[in-house]
Amino acid sequence: MNAKEKHTKSIKSEAKRLGFLSCGVSKAGFLEEEAPRLEKWLNNTMHGQMSYMENHFDKRLNPTLLVDGAKSVISLLLNYYPSEFQNEESYKISKYAYGQDYHFVIKEKLKELLHFIQTEIGDVSGRAFVDSAPVLDKAWAAKSGLGWIGKNTNLITQKVGSFYFIAELIVDLELEYDNPTTDHCGSCAACIDACPTEAIVAPYVVDGSKCISYFTIELKENIPTEMKGKFDDWVFGCDVCQDVCPWNRFSKPHSEPLFLATPELLSFTKKDWEEITSAVFKEVFKNTAVKRTKLEGLKRNVAFSKK
């Protein structure tokens, strides 16, 4: 076994020990296929008011501009599929927001993994990314064989589904590279048919400015009135295109204690959401991703979804 194989094997083994679902590696470089796709998506203003998507176009497509001397992108998946779900008589939030904010949970694991690499292998420079920098997570994960990008533009993995977070370490270390997998969406159009706001405008194309996740999290002003009655009780994010995906029948509950939902959240009724106070918001959502909407944003979403 040569050094590259040895290092790759030990990194993947450590990633597993840290609780990651899977780990794949690809060669850092310019994402040729994604460049025209991203440009077209931005030109068609499918990012709505997410103006940050227009920034750092070159860096989004080339990790060597983010990390000096970058040679490898180590992509990692972390399961968040819950074992317990919200009360059925409740407004809904995305499953990824049930527990503690994933940014902090995953960042800690990535720091540990980078520390392991530096301790085991030596002088390796790198940076950890969790959905917080101009990195095309799904493109890199697909390139490293962790799944394929489905018609709903989520990364999907056979026998696993898509309820997981994607993160990466970009390092200046040459490793053994994985090969992409094949697309297994076939003729299925479940996600396209089920999207409440028709945001999946074509297979593999989501108009972000029509997505319930965009309206309930990213949009800072009033939600357009033409969307009234289409939210299907979602008040933070939306899981419809994942819930209907046949591959998600293979989803298994995660084993990360920090992602467990609080009993208060699971027992919330519509009345609890409608009457939420600042104190309750702080108590129930203090360390979760839901904090992003702030109390006023959440109240706006609940009022908009209310029948």
Side-chain angles (χ1 to χ4, degrees):
M1 191 187 291
N2 64 33
K4 281 196 291 192
E5 286 173 334
K6 187 173 157 235
H7 296 334
T8 308
K9 199 174 173 189
S10 68
I11 290 168
K12 288 184 177 181
S13 169
E14 178 64 6
K16 194 173 182 181
R17 191 193 69 78
L18 288 167
F20 286 105
L21 190 65
S22 49
C23 171
V25 189
S26 43
K27 186 178 170 63
F30 183 69
L31 288 168
E32 241 168 277
E33 283 176 37
E34 275 70 23
R37 211 176 294 154
L38 178 61
E39 192 170 20
K40 188 178 174 185
W41 190 78
L42 290 168
N43 288 343
N44 289 332
T45 61
M46 289 187 179
H47 55 310
Q49 290 183 12
M50 296 181 283
S51 52
Y52 61 86
M53 293 295 296
E54 298 163 37
N55 305 336
H56 311 298
F57 184 79
D58 293 343
K59 286 182 179 174
R60 271 180 208 285
L61 296 160
N62 192 347
T64 63
L65 300 175
L66 284 168
V67 175
D68 286 342
K71 292 191 174 68
S72 303
V73 180
I74 302 167
S75 292
L76 300 131
L77 305 182
L78 188 66
N79 184 16
Y80 66 78
Y81 190 72
S83 52
E84 293 184 289
F85 301 89
Q86 284 177 274
N87 167 8
E88 283 184 17
E89 298 302 309
S90 171
Y91 291 108
K92 296 179 277 196
I93 68 170
S94 274
K95 297 172 191 62
Y96 78 80
Y98 276 19
Q100 289 195 22
D101 192 328
Y102 63 96
H103 293 94
F104 306 115
V105 178
I106 300 175
K107 210 66 180 250
E108 282 310 307
K109 290 181 187 291
L110 290 178
K111 277 186 198 164
E112 278 193 65
L113 185 57
L114 187 56
H115 177 71
F116 168 84
I117 293 169
Q118 289 164 337
T119 308
E120 288 290 307
I121 297 165
D123 186 19
V124 178
S125 289
R127 280 179 70 189
F129 297 94
V130 189
D131 186 26
S132 54
V135 179
L136 294 177
D137 309 278
K138 291 182 279 195
W140 285 110
K143 204 174 163 67
S144 61
L146 297 183
W148 72 95
I149 295 174
K151 290 180 185 174
N152 59 7
T153 73
N154 285 313
L155 189 80
I156 304 172
T157 309
Q158 277 185 296
K159 299 187 180 140
V160 171
S162 62
F163 286 108
Y164 43 65
F165 298 113
I166 307 173
E168 47 282 311
L169 282 180
I170 299 177
V171 293
D172 63 352
L173 173 71
E174 271 196 47
L175 293 164
E176 277 276 298
Y177 301 124
D178 295 297
N179 296 312
T181 181
T182 46
D183 185 312
H184 296 277
C185 283
S187 59
C188 178
C191 57
I192 299 169
D193 297 339
C195 179
T197 55
E198 299 178 359
I200 308 174
V201 292
Y204 311 101
V205 183
V206 169
D207 183 340
S209 71
K210 290 182 178 175
C211 180
I212 292 174
S213 288
Y214 166 75
F215 290 127
T216 55
I217 302 172
E218 301 286 351
L219 187 68
K220 299 297 174 253
E221 55 195 46
N222 290 336
I223 299 166
T225 49
E226 64 265 26
M227 290 295 154
K228 190 76 182 161
K230 293 185 178 181
F231 275 27
D232 192 26
D233 289 337
W234 291 97
V235 294
F236 183 91
C238 175
D239 287 340
V240 171
C241 68
Q242 294 195 85
D243 286 336
V244 301
C245 175
W247 291 105
N248 276 321
R249 67 182 184 272
F250 297 111
S251 299
K252 291 185 177 69
H254 66 76
S255 54
E256 174 51 70
L258 296 173
F259 289 160
L260 292 172
T262 62
E264 292 90 343
L265 170 65
L266 296 177
S267 63
F268 252 37
T269 62
K270 283 193 171 172
K271 195 167 186 287
D272 293 322
W273 284 102
E274 288 160 11
E275 296 174 358
I276 194 166
T277 62
S278 175
V280 172
F281 179 77
K282 279 182 186 156
E283 178 60 32
V284 177
F285 299 113
K286 62 179 173 220
N287 293 319
T288 75
V290 178
K291 270 199 340 192
R292 275 188 67 191
T293 59
K294 303 192 169 64
L295 178 61
E296 289 315 305
L298 193 63
K299 281 181 163 179
R300 174 204 66 176
N301 297 344
V302 169
F304 191 83
S305 292
K306 197 173 172 182
K307 299 285 191 287

